[in-house]
Amino acid sequence: MATCPICRRAPADAKYKPFCSKRCADVDLQRWFTGSYAIPGPPADGPSRDDDEG
């Protein structure tokens, strides 16, 4: 049985899969909102492609 990716103690609950509870699901969501999780990409404050053409 898979464990919760946040607390790593409890087995995943079908209602909150892959988390064990609403609390752990909310913790994960908050990490996305605050930028704790990030998808790699080009720097956001660099020049855009449109600036190079004009």
Side-chain angles (χ1 to χ4, degrees):
M1 205 172 218
T3 59
C4 176
I6 299 299
C7 68
R8 306 231 185 259
R9 292 177 284 194
D13 182 343
K15 185 175 179 181
Y16 301 106
K17 195 172 183 178
F19 308 104
C20 67
S21 65
K22 181 169 177 14
R23 180 198 167 277
C24 284
D26 288 346
V27 167
D28 182 73
L29 184 60
Q30 183 62 30
R31 288 179 183 175
W32 279 105
F33 285 155
T34 61
S36 295
Y37 297 146
I39 298 171
D45 55 349
S48 69
R49 290 183 182 186
D50 294 338
D51 292 342
D52 294 340
E53 293 176 11

